[in-house]
Amino acid sequence: MTAPEDKNMDELVALCKRRGFVYPASEIYGGLRGFWDYGPLGTALKNNIRDWWWRCMVDCPPIGPDGEPVAIVGLDSAIIQNPRVWEHSGHVGGFNDPMVDDKETKKRYRADHIYVFYPKNFKTEHKRFGIAVQASSREEAHKLRDELWESGKWSKVVFRAQKEFGFDPLEGAGVGAQYGDKVSDFLNVYGPNGEDIGDWDVITAEELDEEHRKYTTNLELTNFGTLTKPQMFNLMLDTYPGPIRDEDAKAYLRPETAQGIFLNFKNVLDTMRVKVPFGIAQIGKSFRNEVTPRNFIFRSREFEQMEMEFFCPPEDSQKWYDFWRDVRYKWWLSLGVAEENLILRDHDDDELAHYSSACVDVEYKYPFTAPGYGELEGVAHRGNYDLTAHSKSKEKNRDSNAKLDYFDQELQVKLQNEGVDKAEIKERSRYVPHVIEPASGLTRAVLVVLCEAFTPTPDREGSKYILSFKPKFAPIKAGVFPLVNKDGMPEVAQKLYLQLRDKWPVEYDGKQSIGKRYARMDEIGTPFCFTIDGDTLEKQLVTVRDRDTAEQETIHIDQVEAFLAQKLAE
Ligand code: GAP
């Protein structure tokens, strides 16, 4: 298996384009940053992951911690809702990112994505500058710093800095760092008079104080100029439904599918035979005006989410939080993701979203975060934040007409049987349910499955890459080929193709050499190819070629369907 560190994102992005998985949106007009189109194979892959999530979450959810099957129903709510929804949900006031502007280039960046390197014992009189890099974690910042250094371009920085302090750039006199030294060495030895100034700190642009800010110097590598103080920037994209275009008509494209679920909690409760605990699941598009969309489809402005809100009694919420945390981690393994590339990471208090009292992320080792990890799914304990926020309340000026609480008859009976006193029963059996929310990105899941499957095969004849999808998720399940386009082989191959096509997406290909046909199937991740050759005509034997090993075996033509069915069920 190729380690994430050894996978090149540029090569993966190029393969995705060349083989019809993902194209830049509006490409013939120069594209649009943060938007992507899914090609025929990308759509098939996305649908396969989506269907598996729906199967595991709605059609056949797991058995719960109490041994009972978990109940979850599906929903498909509108993307645009009454704008009051987003005021009460906290997204108008709280869904903000801290932004910094670059005074020289006028570009805007997320303050928590720009990392600035400063000496730990920074003193104003040192007149030392920061080195800014854009990254999504401190770990990534360090990695980026090292990569930039390895690229050799850091010589410029050294020379510039030397000049700034009056050193001769060519001789490097008085400066410990020379062109070719490791960045870490350079960072450790640098001083206005060449003295060792000790360790360097990595801080975000958000953490830059007045003193540091004065010395954010533009470095050619990173193109950061003087950074302003961070300011909050709302992430929701807005629109104006109807003919009038003024502030009162302003509505938002949903930034998460979750709110549509909370808005329909009462509808579902009243119309479906569900009782707490139960969940409502939804898959659909969400939109965020991300300031720095990047890393291919990892962070885009239009994306798809798979979210489930699980409503439970407040007193059982911890049990359900632990339950969903485990279930969701295992689900990612079921996609064929290797355990060593997947971790669970609890959020620190200062990372929690405005609605959440606890959150654990499932993180994946993407090629662009390795050896670190990046977010894939969050399992959040939302408490009763959302249902309360959307419940009618005069004092709090909440103008919805709903009371989103729940009377728990089973709990009432249980408490009665336990002899709990009447007042306490009344108090405990009517409540606003707590919510545990596993929320993941479908388009991000596509990226994870692509990254995991992407395997460079420089030594293999034909294909330079394999997309080693778990067969169940492969867009095309099998290729059916006649070895040559004569001698009655195409007719037999067509017959087999028509038989398999009835059950799965399979492809018939009779053109080009057999090696080229195999190579194409490897690159689009087709797990098996069935070739009709002389042995088929004589002995009814078909050659099966395995994508990952390139090994071939023969099976009877009557067994092909059963063979494929068994592999796809794994
Ligand atoms: N309802 C909770 C919520 O939306 P989130 O952590 O902001 O939580 C959930 O989003 C998931 O949606 C993330 O874990 C990620 O997989 C995906 N996601 C969020 N923003 C995204 C973006 N800009 N592009 C692609 N996927 C995104």
Side-chain angles (χ1 to χ4, degrees):
M1 205 175 66
T2 315
E5 289 88 336
D6 299 328
K7 299 186 181 185
N8 180 311
M9 276 311 284
D10 291 341
E11 289 175 22
L12 174 59
V13 173
L15 180 67
C16 284
K17 164 98 197 293
R18 187 158 53 82
R19 290 303 188 189
F21 283 89
V22 183
Y23 312 122
S26 323
E27 194 182 10
I28 59 172
Y29 288 100
L32 184 61
R33 209 163 156 236
F35 295 88
W36 298 91
D37 292 337
Y38 289 77
L41 297 187
T43 306
L45 177 63
K46 180 150 68 71
N47 289 350
N48 292 343
I49 298 170
R50 179 200 66 191
D51 294 348
W52 180 237
W53 188 90
W54 198 261
R55 165 99 197 121
C56 299
M57 297 296 274
V58 181
D59 295 341
C60 186
I63 303 296
D66 40 13
E68 294 292 320
V70 169
I72 301 180
V73 292
L75 183 79
D76 187 2
S77 69
I79 286 175
I80 298 176
Q81 304 278 357
N82 187 314
R84 302 289 282 156
V85 170
W86 307 107
E87 285 168 31
H88 292 314
S89 69
H91 285 84
V92 170
F95 194 54
N96 298 305
D97 273 343
M99 306 303 304
V100 289
D101 289 327
D102 182 324
K103 282 189 188 162
E104 280 80 37
T105 64
K106 310 287 176 226
K107 282 193 179 158
R108 178 167 282 187
Y109 302 94
R110 261 180 74 164
D112 54 340
H113 282 183
I114 292 185
Y115 288 85
V116 187
F117 294 84
Y118 270 95
K120 278 210 164 112
N121 62 351
F122 176 81
K123 291 192 197 84
T124 313
E125 68 271 19
H126 280 160
K127 291 202 165 52
R128 218 136 304 115
F129 55 87
I131 300 166
V133 293
Q134 203 173 12
S136 53
S137 65
R138 273 170 214 259
E139 230 171 9
E140 199 187 316
H142 281 288
K143 189 174 157 240
L144 201 61
R145 178 197 62 184
D146 288 343
E147 270 172 17
L148 288 169
W149 177 245
E150 301 293 339
S151 76
K153 293 181 195 154
W154 278 90
S155 57
K156 280 189 185 161
V157 180
V158 177
F159 292 159
R160 250 183 97 148
Q162 288 168 344
K163 262 189 177 153
E164 205 168 297
F165 296 121
F167 300 128
D168 181 333
L170 296 176
E171 287 177 14
V175 179
Q178 303 285 325
Y179 177 75
D181 287 354
K182 275 272 199 210
V183 161
S184 46
D185 301 336
F186 158 61
L187 292 175
N188 280 330
V189 297
Y190 218 111
N193 299 310
E195 81 275 24
D196 190 335
I197 47 132
D199 288 347
W200 286 64
D201 227 352
V202 188
I203 58 176
T204 62
E206 233 179 331
E207 294 160 340
L208 278 177
D209 58 25
E210 267 325 309
E211 286 311 326
H212 285 120
R213 207 168 286 282
K214 273 194 222 156
Y215 300 105
T216 48
T217 312
N218 186 22
L219 299 175
E220 280 163 39
L221 287 182
T222 51
N223 290 324
F224 290 117
T226 315
L227 302 173
T228 61
K229 279 195 169 161
Q231 281 182 339
M232 290 303 184
F233 171 85
N234 195 279
L235 290 182
M236 280 192 294
L237 282 160
D238 49 38
T239 183
Y240 297 83
I244 298 164
R245 215 180 156 78
D246 62 14
E247 264 309 291
D248 290 343
K250 184 154 104 179
Y252 301 97
L253 302 188
R254 70 178 173 205
E256 60 171 14
T257 59
Q259 294 304 320
I261 296 179
F262 297 122
L263 299 176
N264 284 290
F265 168 71
K266 202 84 186 151
N267 280 338
V268 171
L269 208 54
D270 292 348
T271 54
M272 304 298 295
R273 303 188 61 191
V274 284
K275 50 188 190 337
V276 171
F278 76 99
I280 305 179
Q282 161 151 251
I283 299 178
K285 293 241 172 178
S286 290
F287 302 81
R288 294 184 191 178
N289 197 8
E290 298 284 2
V291 183
T292 45
R294 64 214 183 93
N295 288 330
F296 193 28
I297 52 175
F298 177 80
R299 176 170 292 111
S300 46
R301 290 180 171 143
E302 174 178 338
F303 55 99
E304 278 176 78
Q305 288 186 304
M306 308 185 284
E307 299 199 286
M308 194 273 289
E309 309 303 321
F310 194 76
F311 303 95
C312 59
E315 41 202 83
D316 291 345
S317 60
Q318 188 59 41
K319 176 176 83 181
W320 286 106
Y321 177 71
D322 296 341
F323 172 75
W324 284 114
R325 176 192 158 109
D326 291 351
V327 167
R328 294 306 307 154
Y329 180 80
K330 287 192 190 125
W331 186 81
W332 290 101
L333 298 177
S334 79
L335 287 185
V337 178
E339 211 163 341
E340 66 257 34
N341 292 338
L342 210 60
I343 54 161
L344 279 169
R345 188 184 66 82
D346 289 302
H347 275 213
D348 294 332
D349 284 351
D350 60 354
E351 272 183 277
L352 293 174
H354 61 271
Y355 48 75
S356 151
S357 57
C359 187
V360 58
D361 277 349
V362 185
E363 294 191 337
Y364 176 69
K365 201 191 274 180
Y366 299 91
F368 49 84
T369 57
Y373 295 78
E375 184 191 341
L376 172 52
E377 166 155 5
V379 179
H381 190 319
R382 292 182 80 126
N384 61 12
Y385 177 89
D386 304 271
L387 291 180
T388 307
H390 293 304
S391 290
K392 189 178 177 67
S393 161
K394 263 204 183 132
E395 313 85 75
K396 301 224 163 117
N397 197 20
R398 285 200 294 260
D399 51 1
S400 85
N401 58 19
K403 213 167 164 250
L404 300 178
D405 60 0
Y406 179 74
F407 173 62
D408 192 331
Q409 207 170 359
E410 279 180 18
L411 182 61
Q412 185 191 44
V413 173
K414 185 174 156 252
L415 295 176
Q416 277 166 352
N417 291 342
E418 284 171 11
V420 175
D421 78 62
K422 272 196 180 156
E424 192 183 332
I425 293 177
K426 197 168 168 218
E427 160 106 25
R428 281 171 63 189
S429 49
R430 181 168 285 282
Y431 53 78
V432 179
H434 277 205
V435 170
I436 308 302
E437 173 195 68
S440 57
L442 171 56
T443 39
R444 204 170 278 186
V446 170
L447 177 62
V448 167
V449 170
L450 281 168
C451 290
E452 188 73 11
F454 181 61
T455 314
T457 47
D459 300 332
R460 189 182 274 205
E461 229 176 275
S463 45
K464 274 173 71 187
Y465 308 101
I466 302 178
L467 284 177
S468 191
F469 300 126
K470 190 168 173 181
K472 185 192 272 192
F473 302 104
I476 307 291
K477 308 299 182 202
V480 182
F481 308 151
L483 180 63
V484 288
N485 240 337
K486 55 183 185 184
D487 301 336
M489 291 180 202
E491 290 76 7
V492 181
Q494 270 288 340
K495 194 169 164 226
L496 179 63
Y497 162 68
L498 289 174
Q499 179 197 339
L500 299 180
R501 175 186 183 270
D502 223 27
K503 298 238 156 90
W504 304 287
V506 293
E507 265 195 20
Y508 178 89
D509 191 356
K511 295 197 188 110
Q512 298 185 304
S513 71
I514 192 77
K516 282 199 172 138
R517 284 180 267 167
Y518 284 149
R520 184 175 159 268
M521 288 296 164
D522 287 346
E523 288 202 350
I524 65 174
T526 304
F528 305 103
C529 291
F530 300 107
T531 302
I532 304 302
D533 53 23
D535 270 1
T536 323
L537 305 181
E538 268 178 42
K539 298 184 234 158
Q540 304 281 293
L541 293 179
V542 173
T543 302
V544 186
R545 178 184 175 274
D546 182 286
R547 172 197 62 201
D548 298 338
T549 60
E551 276 171 13
Q552 305 192 358
E553 59 173 316
T554 50
I555 59 171
H556 195 276
I557 196 163
D558 291 346
Q559 290 170 358
V560 169
E561 192 176 315
F563 172 92
L564 199 51
Q566 192 222 318
K567 296 286 183 189
L568 296 177
E570 284 171 6

